[in-house]
């Protein structure tokens, strides 16, 4: 039986509500005849990074054009008429899952402003962890904000900087930011792409003929037919003008990178290359490490699809236990389907996942998932396996316990709602009603990404949601008594 008392009244029962959610994906292209169409295609490949809104801004050498809307990329940029609203040879786009700033239309990116130097459009993946503090200061000086997005802070900082060139003003603004950002910026001089000094969120660069492309993930380069050139380095700005000249700038020197290790675990598509490693290969290796660390006597390895599949294959190959599709995923489920009544709630997981009874009946199962957040879905999936006749269910998790919130652009429940934030291993196992439960260790995860172990003096990745070791200052959190796991400005519900 589900212990709803433990979950709290506001526990979401939508079937995707028990996953950490990446907030955004960005894409930019310059010097392409059909820039907006390429941008729409690239955003479509990044749809998994944000499903609630999408936007594209283009530039034709004279004017900036913008189209933004609630919903998927295909709903907003599918037709020739929609793309015809976005002429020009430069375009930048954004997909978002709303967290910081709410879901209002005015928060959909790219954000645009007319500055003294001309038009300025910006698309942002990440979260600025001192944005509220900066905003307070700017408002005190007379700034008038039009959105509740942390990204608008950057526009105001650029607008009020005293430096002579736009690039210098932008760098001046970046120096005031804390947190995570991968930006794609358009001005009348060209495109600027940059990553925060720790490179927490990803950004890569490619080319199609003379056109240069920037994207959150390499899968977007593949889909638009671009050749992968390299990742944008942590702390690097790359400027591309309309003559095709590319210049790079490193205003922060060469800081030690701390990219988000959860990109490997869950956020990035498995066919992407992140931090110069195949996401699929890393996930498989996580399964290998899990099998070495937490072996089990079992008949079958079963993945919670889709994200648990590579780790399950790795676990199976290392352990010699056969891998089978013991759970089948429906690909036709609406993302925000909320169960209408108590009696319907328990079918929520089944709308997305269903047990393959003929495979699991009478078997001892090793069940592999990428993570446990609140534990609600895990509990229901274990129950689903038992209902289908599994004799034993041994749960193995392809990430360490997620016990801390993320302040870098990932939607995380507050710590008190994270299963690992309030329970030890035995209690978590009881909660999800598995026969056994094991998570990969933090060093096991680091081995899977190619290191012998975590360097505790100078960690190679951001892993704060597992360790609580945040790589940047968290000014807003420190200043807000009521800070929750994800910092937000007051949500404006008017689109
Ligand atoms: S806290 Fe976790 S999800 Fe957030 S950036 Fe760090 S590793 Fe990624």
């Amino acid at each position: 039986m589900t212990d709803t008392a433990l979950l709290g009244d506001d526990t979401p029962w939508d079937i995707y509500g028990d996953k950490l959610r990446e907030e955004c994906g960005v894409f930019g292209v310059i010097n392409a005849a059909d820039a907006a169409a390429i941008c729409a295609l690239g955003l479509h490949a990044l749809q998994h990074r944000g499903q609630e809104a999408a936007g594209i801004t283009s530039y034709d050498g004279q004017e900036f054009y913008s189209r933004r809307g609630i919903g998927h990329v295909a709903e907003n940029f599918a037709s020739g008429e929609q793309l015809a609203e976005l002429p020009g040879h430069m375009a930048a786009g954004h997909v978002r899952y709303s967290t910081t700033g709410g879901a209002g239309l005015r928060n959909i990116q790219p954000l645009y402003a007319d500055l003294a130097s001309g038009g300025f459009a910006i698309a942002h993946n990440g979260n600025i962890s001192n944005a509220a503090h900066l905003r307070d200061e700017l408002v005190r000086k007379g700034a008038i904000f039009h959105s509740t997005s942390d990204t608008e802070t950057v526009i105001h900082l650029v607008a009020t900087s005293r430096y002579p060139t736009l690039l210098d003003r932008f760098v001046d603004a970046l120096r005031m930011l804390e947190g995570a950002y991968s930006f794609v910026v358009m001005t009348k001089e060209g495109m600027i792409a940059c990553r925060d000094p720790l490179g927490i969120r990803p950004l890569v660069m490619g080319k199609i003929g003379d056109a240069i492309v920037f994207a959150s993930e390499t899968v977007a380069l593949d889909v638009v037919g671009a050749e992968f050139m390299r990742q944008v380095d942590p702390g690097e700005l790359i400027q591309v003008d309309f003559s095709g000249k590319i210049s790079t700038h490193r205003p922060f020197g060469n800081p030690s990178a701390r990219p988000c290790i959860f990109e490997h675990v869950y956020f990035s598509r498995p066919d992407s290359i992140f931090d110069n490693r195949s996401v699929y290969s890393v996930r498989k290796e996580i399964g290998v490490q899990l099998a070495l660390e937490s072996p089990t006597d079992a008949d079958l390895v079963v993945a919670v699809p889709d994200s648990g599949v590579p780790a399950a294959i790795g676990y199976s190959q290392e352990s010699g236990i056969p891998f089978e599709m013991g759970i089948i995923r429906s690909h036709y489920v609406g993302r925000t389907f909320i169960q209408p009544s108590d009696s319907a709630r328990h079918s929520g997981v089944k709308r997305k996942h269903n047990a393959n009874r003929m495979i699991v009946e009478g078997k001892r199962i090793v069940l592999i998932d990428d993570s446990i957040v609140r534990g609600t879905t895990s509990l229901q999936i274990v129950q689903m396996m038992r209902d289908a006749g599994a004799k034993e269910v041994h749960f193995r998790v392809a990430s360490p316990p997620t016990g801390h919130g993320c302040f870098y652009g990932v939607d995380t429940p507050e710590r008190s709602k994270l299963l690992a934030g309030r329970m030890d291993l035995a209690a978590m196992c009881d909660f999800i009603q598995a026969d056994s439960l094991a998570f990969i260790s933090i060093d096991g995860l680091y081995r899977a990404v190619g290191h012998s172990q975590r360097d505790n003096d100078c960690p190679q990745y951001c892993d704060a949601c597992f360790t609580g070791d945040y790589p940047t200052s968290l000014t807003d959190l420190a200043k807000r008594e009521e800070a929750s796991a994800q910092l937000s400005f007051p949500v404006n519900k008017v689109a």
Side-chain angles (χ1 to χ4, degrees):
M1 195 185 82
T2 306
D3 187 351
T4 49
L6 276 173
L7 305 179
D9 289 343
D10 57 345
T11 299
W13 284 85
D14 71 278
I15 55 178
Y16 289 86
D18 199 19
K19 289 285 182 195
L20 297 188
R21 287 194 275 201
E22 177 69 58
E23 228 182 87
C24 303
V26 295
F27 189 92
V29 56
I30 178 169
N31 297 328
D34 45 359
I38 294 171
C39 193
L41 200 55
L43 289 182
H44 193 264
L46 298 174
Q47 189 74 82
H48 59 286
R49 299 183 75 87
Q51 289 89 33
E52 296 195 358
I56 294 178
T57 299
S58 70
Y59 180 67
D60 67 357
Q62 300 292 326
E63 301 284 339
F64 287 85
Y65 306 84
S66 190
R67 181 181 168 82
R68 303 179 295 165
I70 303 287
H72 286 189
V73 176
E75 293 163 40
N76 289 291
F77 302 102
S79 71
E81 291 80 23
Q82 290 168 333
L83 291 172
E85 295 174 21
L86 298 162
H89 43 279
M90 176 168 72
H94 190 263
V95 286
R96 69 174 279 148
Y97 164 71
S98 65
T99 300
T100 304
L105 197 57
R106 63 187 180 158
N107 287 327
I108 300 174
Q109 299 188 23
L111 298 184
Y112 175 82
D114 279 311
L115 306 185
S117 55
F120 184 92
I122 183 166
H124 173 204
N125 177 205
N127 189 62
I128 296 165
S129 59
N130 64 337
H133 170 67
L134 292 171
R135 181 186 173 106
D136 286 348
E137 286 190 347
L138 286 159
V139 168
R140 261 198 297 275
K141 289 177 187 164
I144 298 169
F145 278 74
H146 296 283
S147 77
T148 53
S149 158
D150 59 332
T151 311
E152 191 181 350
T153 309
V154 181
I155 295 177
H156 285 277
L157 291 173
V158 174
T160 53
S161 171
R162 301 272 173 89
Y163 281 87
T165 69
L166 183 68
L167 185 70
D168 285 342
R169 287 199 288 278
F170 186 50
V171 170
D172 188 33
L174 297 185
R175 288 190 194 284
M176 290 186 238
L177 306 183
E178 293 171 0
Y181 52 82
S182 286
F183 290 127
V184 175
V185 169
M186 293 199 306
T187 73
K188 62 185 175 57
E189 291 160 12
M191 183 165 278
I192 302 169
C194 71
R195 267 174 104 188
D196 67 75
L198 301 178
I200 295 175
R201 300 260 73 85
L203 193 62
V204 295
M205 179 180 182
K207 63 177 177 182
I208 325 172
D210 293 333
I212 296 295
V213 177
F214 297 99
S216 293
E217 291 185 38
T218 60
V219 64
L221 303 184
D222 296 342
V223 167
V224 303
E227 178 189 336
F228 172 67
M229 295 168 73
R230 64 181 181 87
Q231 67 168 359
V232 178
D233 287 335
E236 183 184 25
L237 275 82
I238 301 180
Q239 199 175 18
V240 187
D241 71 15
F242 296 117
S243 72
K245 183 176 160 215
I246 300 172
S247 42
T248 67
H249 309 267
R250 294 176 191 272
F252 303 102
N254 288 303
S256 299
R258 297 279 301 269
C260 166
I261 205 163
F262 224 118
E263 291 283 346
H264 274 307
V265 170
Y266 176 67
F267 300 138
S268 289
R269 262 178 54 162
D271 44 346
S272 279
I273 309 289
F274 172 62
D275 198 31
N276 297 318
R277 294 176 199 283
S278 151
V279 173
Y280 177 81
S281 300
V282 166
R283 286 183 191 166
K284 238 177 97 175
E285 186 58 29
I286 290 173
V288 170
Q289 296 296 326
L290 250 182
L292 292 169
E293 289 183 355
S294 304
T296 318
D297 278 336
D299 305 309
L300 292 179
V301 176
V302 169
V304 179
D306 292 330
S307 50
V309 170
I313 292 171
Y315 194 103
S316 167
Q317 290 180 353
E318 178 60 32
S319 64
I321 302 170
F323 169 80
E324 292 285 0
M325 297 284 283
I327 299 175
I328 305 299
R329 178 186 162 188
S330 166
H331 290 266
Y332 304 100
V333 182
R335 184 176 171 78
T336 53
F337 186 90
I338 306 293
Q339 302 306 328
S341 68
D342 262 19
S343 59
R345 282 178 171 175
H346 298 284
S347 67
V349 166
K350 281 193 165 185
R351 289 178 183 271
K352 182 182 175 192
H353 294 125
N354 192 33
N356 192 353
R357 176 178 291 275
M358 298 304 288
I359 294 295
V360 303
E361 193 163 26
K363 301 291 196 317
R364 298 169 300 163
I365 305 294
V366 185
L367 189 58
I368 312 267
D369 203 355
D370 58 83
S371 57
I372 294 181
V373 181
R374 293 177 175 87
T376 50
T377 300
S378 310
L379 168 67
Q380 292 179 72
I381 287 182
V382 169
Q383 192 59 51
M384 181 194 299
M385 292 287 94
R386 295 201 194 283
D387 291 346
K391 256 193 343 202
E392 295 173 14
V393 182
H394 301 275
F395 211 107
R396 297 290 178 268
V397 187
S399 57
T402 307
H404 305 269
C406 174
F407 300 94
Y408 305 125
V410 171
D411 182 42
T412 331
E414 61 192 77
R415 185 163 159 77
S416 64
K417 301 255 171 30
L418 292 167
L419 200 65
R422 59 197 177 89
M423 291 184 190
D424 63 16
L425 184 68
M428 285 191 275
C429 186
D430 278 353
F431 179 83
I432 66 169
Q433 299 177 9
D435 291 286
S436 71
L437 170 66
F439 295 79
I440 192 166
S441 68
I442 193 78
D443 282 335
L445 180 57
Y446 273 78
R447 280 192 290 279
V449 295
H451 298 278
S452 56
Q453 60 182 36
R454 181 182 196 263
D455 179 346
N456 290 329
D457 296 327
C458 188
Q460 304 92 325
Y461 282 86
C462 176
D463 52 22
C465 47
F466 308 128
T467 61
D469 177 4
Y470 293 95
T472 73
S473 304
L474 299 172
T475 297
D476 290 351
L477 181 65
K479 282 177 173 279
R480 288 182 182 206
E481 284 182 12
E482 295 165 11
S484 61
Q486 181 67 51
L487 299 179
S488 296
F489 294 120
V491 174
N492 189 320
K493 295 211 167 80
V494 180

